[in-house]
Amino acid sequence: MSLWLSGIGVSRGIVLGRVQRLNGGDLEIPEYPMASGDVETEVSRFNVAQKRAKEQLHQVREQIPGGVTGEIAAFIDTHLLMLDDRSMTDAVVAVIRGQRINAEAAVRRQRDSLVSVFEQMEDAYLRSRKDDVQHVAARILRILLKQDRVAAVARVPEGGESSEPLVIVADDLTPADIILLGQQGAAAFVTEYGGPLSHTAILARGLGLPAIVGLHNARRLLREGEAVIVDGELGHVLADPGAQATEFFSAKRERQDRERTALGSLKDKPAISRDGVKIRLLANIELPEDAVRAAALGAEGVGLYRTEFLFMNRSGLPSEEEQYEAYARVVSSVKGPITIRTLDLGADKQVDSVGRPGPSPNNPALGLRAIRLCLKEPELFRAQVRALLRASAHGDVQIMLPMISSVQEFRQAAALVEAARLQLLAEGRAVAGCVPVGAMIEVPAAALAAGLLAKHAAFFSIGTNDLIQYTLAIDRVDDEVNYLYDPLHPAVLRLIHMTIDAGERAGRPVALCGEMAGDPRYTRLLLGLGLREFSMHPASVLEVKRIIIESDVGRLRSQASLLLASGDTAEIQGLLAGFEAPPGAYTR
Ligand code: PEP
Ligand code: MG
């Protein structure tokens, strides 16, 4: 009998294959006391395991296929750095010596204390990086317990037991697992844990393999060797599918394959609608390598460069000089404009050097994060702003301030930017003649006051990931309330429209850089709401471009105004389904 399971689809594509379960994710970790004479032997056992873990990761790094995004190598590098970090070396040794316990128990204790710090972070991306701690600790633990996951993964037969594609079903997968499995013929991934920002999601997208995360109990419900269909777009797994379902999904897969091939031809075409409206398609990037990939995928520039990466996995703050070099490298590698966001960290961030003393806030998402933290720590902000302004001499740079919630906050931050600019000029440093400073609109208050903010901000960029979180009062990474996360909620649509409208009236460009911008389901709606700049994951650029090329923006505007008048989400979905889609156009 067929079984239909639903998780979070994070990487598109359809695979008809057989289940290969990866067990051994849940490790049983013994804890026992050590006699004082044995403590140093235990320390050496840990040191050997830590060294072996590094060797394994170096091997994996060498196996990364050529031509895939630098993001993938960066994940492995992050783990290598963590393995060498004092929190994973000296701190564990101190626990073994101080508590006189076995190495496995010491690693577990250290892992749990690091994870609890990460769990309190308000930034979704950084919070999800607790995965790194867990994966690094698990690698050392498996070596200590002689349950090496790399060996387990290596047992996956090439191409599966038969010639059918392999669908890997696991509790969670490390970046190294994904790379190895991808090389050994895995065609899709289904994991029990993780969200859209998890490693599985990001890496699977990077490798172009369908993936579903957060499918609880997947290993219990799916049998080894069972035939399954995975739809990574919808997040569905259909076990033991009948002939009819197989036929339906085969046809859908063929259609998607044709569409993907056709998309390649759009790379150098301008994003202009059928009625002549020019749209700017930009990329969101995190690492310098991403800029090159973004351009290769047809992005005209960068609409959001998240700078938090520079501050991660280290004990001290990066100096102005180090930041300048990093930003200048990225700016020089981007052909078009680049919008760089100032730090979006919070008060209790694991980024040791930025943490502030005192108890953790009860509501970190509402606490001292992003621009609030930067205004409280002007030296931190000044060093970054000086580095950004110096980097502006190498390209077309804009500075974007995150989490702005009032005009006063914006003006205060903009004044610090201006002071830094004047200081640099007085020092005889090169700075671009014009470096626009804009506001991210991700707090409802900023959207409601967009008309007032537009008098001061040079541009807006709507961060729907946070705007939806704050408007609907739901934690964007809490899967218990994930069902309430609704970009089509009438309140969200009104705030987006209000912001675009305020920008238009004041002659300020308005971009949208939340996940919504790269989701083809919303492209027509956003065009209809008046959006003219989209910034997204580079992999989505061509698909969004195709929809734009096929759209009549004038018609979409009138359809969108009808939709805005509706207060009912079901009705909104119905209206959206009927949005202008010319014959032969891509529809979902
Ligand atoms: C957003 O909030 O939509 C956004 C782009 O910023 P981040 O996801 O980094 O919070
Ligand atoms: Mg945000």
Side-chain angles (χ1 to χ4, degrees):
M1 199 184 72
S2 299
L3 176 68
W4 192 284
L5 305 172
S6 200
I8 307 168
V10 291
S11 181
R12 294 184 66 188
I14 290 172
V15 164
L16 289 81
R18 295 220 169 253
V19 169
Q20 166 90 40
R21 286 191 307 193
L22 270 196
N23 291 317
D26 315 313
L27 294 167
E28 277 203 21
I29 303 165
E31 176 161 342
Y32 45 89
M34 305 300 304
S36 57
D38 294 337
V39 166
E40 287 315 307
T41 317
E42 199 59 7
V43 168
S44 329
R45 199 164 75 84
F46 166 73
N47 286 336
V48 169
Q50 188 264 1
K51 198 161 157 256
R52 174 78 194 113
K54 276 171 58 182
E55 284 164 10
Q56 285 181 350
L57 280 185
H58 278 295
Q59 280 165 12
V60 171
R61 204 183 186 293
E62 277 159 27
Q63 293 180 44
I64 295 173
V68 300
T69 160
E71 204 174 16
I72 290 179
F75 278 123
I76 302 294
D77 289 342
T78 304
H79 283 198
L80 279 166
L81 280 173
M82 259 192 192
L83 271 171
D84 261 339
D85 194 89
R86 289 183 53 217
S87 62
M88 268 293 161
T89 52
D90 299 1
V92 176
V93 170
V95 177
I96 298 175
R97 289 191 177 130
Q99 314 279 320
R100 289 203 189 154
I101 52 170
N102 57 315
E104 294 87 341
V107 172
R108 181 185 50 195
R109 284 195 194 183
Q110 182 58 11
R111 175 200 67 190
D112 292 349
S113 83
L114 290 172
V115 164
S116 76
V117 179
F118 269 94
E119 271 171 350
Q120 289 171 38
M121 295 180 179
E122 71 271 30
D123 181 279
Y125 183 81
L126 289 176
R127 197 177 332 165
S128 73
R129 293 291 75 91
K130 74 173 189 222
D131 299 353
D132 290 308
V133 177
Q134 276 162 334
H135 292 162
V136 165
R139 180 167 294 281
I140 302 175
L141 285 169
R142 286 198 185 96
I143 294 168
L144 287 167
L145 295 166
K146 302 197 180 359
Q147 294 180 23
D148 194 335
R149 175 90 155 193
V150 168
V153 168
R155 282 201 295 275
V156 175
E158 221 159 280
E161 275 160 9
S162 63
S163 56
E164 283 177 90
L166 270 185
V167 174
I168 302 296
V169 178
D171 53 342
D172 193 11
L173 292 168
T174 70
D177 292 338
I178 290 186
I179 291 165
L180 288 177
L181 288 163
Q183 286 186 337
Q184 289 163 14
F189 300 106
V190 177
T191 64
E192 296 186 350
Y193 306 114
L197 298 173
S198 67
H199 283 123
T200 313
I202 296 169
L203 284 162
R205 282 197 291 267
L207 291 170
L209 296 173
I212 296 172
V213 300
L215 206 160
H216 302 299
N217 296 315
R219 282 176 305 162
R220 197 167 57 76
L221 297 169
L222 296 170
R223 284 175 286 125
E224 189 73 10
E226 186 170 25
V228 282
I229 296 174
V230 172
D231 186 332
E233 176 186 17
L234 302 175
H236 292 160
V237 177
L238 184 59
D240 193 13
Q244 226 180 341
T246 304
E247 198 180 317
F248 173 83
F249 281 101
S250 303
K252 185 173 173 185
R253 188 185 54 188
E254 276 166 30
R255 196 171 64 240
Q256 287 186 351
D257 287 348
R258 278 197 305 274
E259 283 167 1
R260 214 182 344 255
T261 313
L263 279 182
S265 64
L266 296 182
K267 190 182 150 295
D268 297 317
K269 279 214 165 123
I272 299 178
S273 71
R274 283 192 297 156
D275 53 342
V277 180
K278 167 84 183 86
I279 305 296
R280 219 174 187 197
L281 293 182
L282 305 162
N284 292 354
I285 65 164
E286 270 132 25
L287 298 166
E289 297 84 1
D290 296 345
V292 178
R293 180 167 177 257
L297 288 171
E300 294 167 50
V302 169
L304 167 64
Y305 171 24
R306 292 180 167 103
T307 54
E308 293 79 43
F309 264 89
L310 259 183
F311 291 73
M312 290 168 67
N313 300 314
R314 56 186 302 150
S315 48
L317 283 173
S319 65
E320 175 189 322
E321 207 53 38
E322 185 184 341
Q323 291 189 61
Y324 161 67
E325 277 165 23
Y327 303 146
R329 218 172 37 245
V330 178
V331 170
S332 311
S333 66
V334 174
K335 295 229 167 51
I338 171 166
T339 301
I340 310 184
R341 178 173 77 181
T342 58
L343 268 180
D344 190 11
L345 293 175
D348 59 341
K349 285 282 153 59
Q350 175 60 3
V351 181
D352 300 340
S353 44
V354 186
R356 286 166 61 86
S360 303
N362 285 335
N363 287 308
L366 305 181
L368 195 61
R369 62 169 286 199
I371 198 65
R372 301 171 183 182
L373 174 71
C374 287
L375 292 176
K376 263 267 177 13
E377 302 276 354
E379 283 313 314
L380 171 75
F381 190 51
R382 198 182 339 269
Q384 182 177 41
V385 167
R386 279 176 58 94
L388 290 176
L389 288 168
R390 286 171 61 194
S392 73
H394 302 277
D396 183 2
V397 173
Q398 304 198 112
I399 294 179
M400 177 156 81
L401 307 173
M403 276 284 293
I404 289 293
S405 58
S406 71
V407 168
Q408 188 196 11
E409 202 173 40
F410 182 86
R411 290 182 64 187
Q412 199 184 339
L416 290 175
V417 176
E418 178 58 9
R421 195 181 71 85
L422 294 175
Q423 193 185 36
L424 285 169
L425 292 177
E427 289 167 15
R429 303 253 194 199
V431 177
C434 171
V435 184
V437 180
M440 267 191 95
I441 305 294
E442 41 188 357
V443 176
L448 292 165
L452 301 170
L453 266 172
K455 296 192 179 120
H456 307 276
F459 64 92
F460 291 149
S461 187
I462 308 173
T464 41
N465 305 342
D466 276 314
L467 185 63
I468 296 169
Q469 155 167 269
Y470 292 125
T471 306
L472 305 182
I474 38 161
D475 186 338
R476 67 192 243 194
V477 291
D478 182 346
D479 59 9
E480 298 283 352
V481 288
N482 203 19
Y483 72 102
L484 291 171
Y485 196 86
D486 180 13
L488 294 181
H489 190 293
V492 172
L493 297 182
R494 278 159 191 258
L495 290 173
I496 294 175
H497 184 242
M498 226 174 228
T499 307
I500 296 172
D501 203 39
E504 225 170 58
R505 282 173 203 273
R508 301 281 186 260
V510 180
L512 193 147
C513 61
E515 289 300 302
M516 235 180 137
D519 189 329
R521 285 174 299 181
Y522 307 125
T523 309
R524 290 191 181 88
L525 172 60
L526 293 172
L527 288 171
L529 292 178
L531 190 72
R532 299 293 174 260
E533 277 187 38
F534 294 62
S535 188
M536 65 197 77
H537 189 283
S540 306
V541 169
L542 291 179
E543 199 166 343
V544 170
K545 191 189 277 190
R546 172 158 68 176
I547 298 173
I548 291 166
I549 291 172
E550 289 170 346
S551 293
D552 180 326
V553 171
R555 251 187 95 193
L556 288 174
R557 284 211 90 144
S558 30
Q559 285 176 310
S561 61
L562 275 180
L563 185 144
L564 273 177
S566 172
D568 179 82
T569 302
E571 188 181 65
I572 288 177
Q573 276 165 349
L575 286 168
L576 187 57
F579 261 38
E580 181 257 3
Y586 168 76
T587 46
R588 287 165 69 113

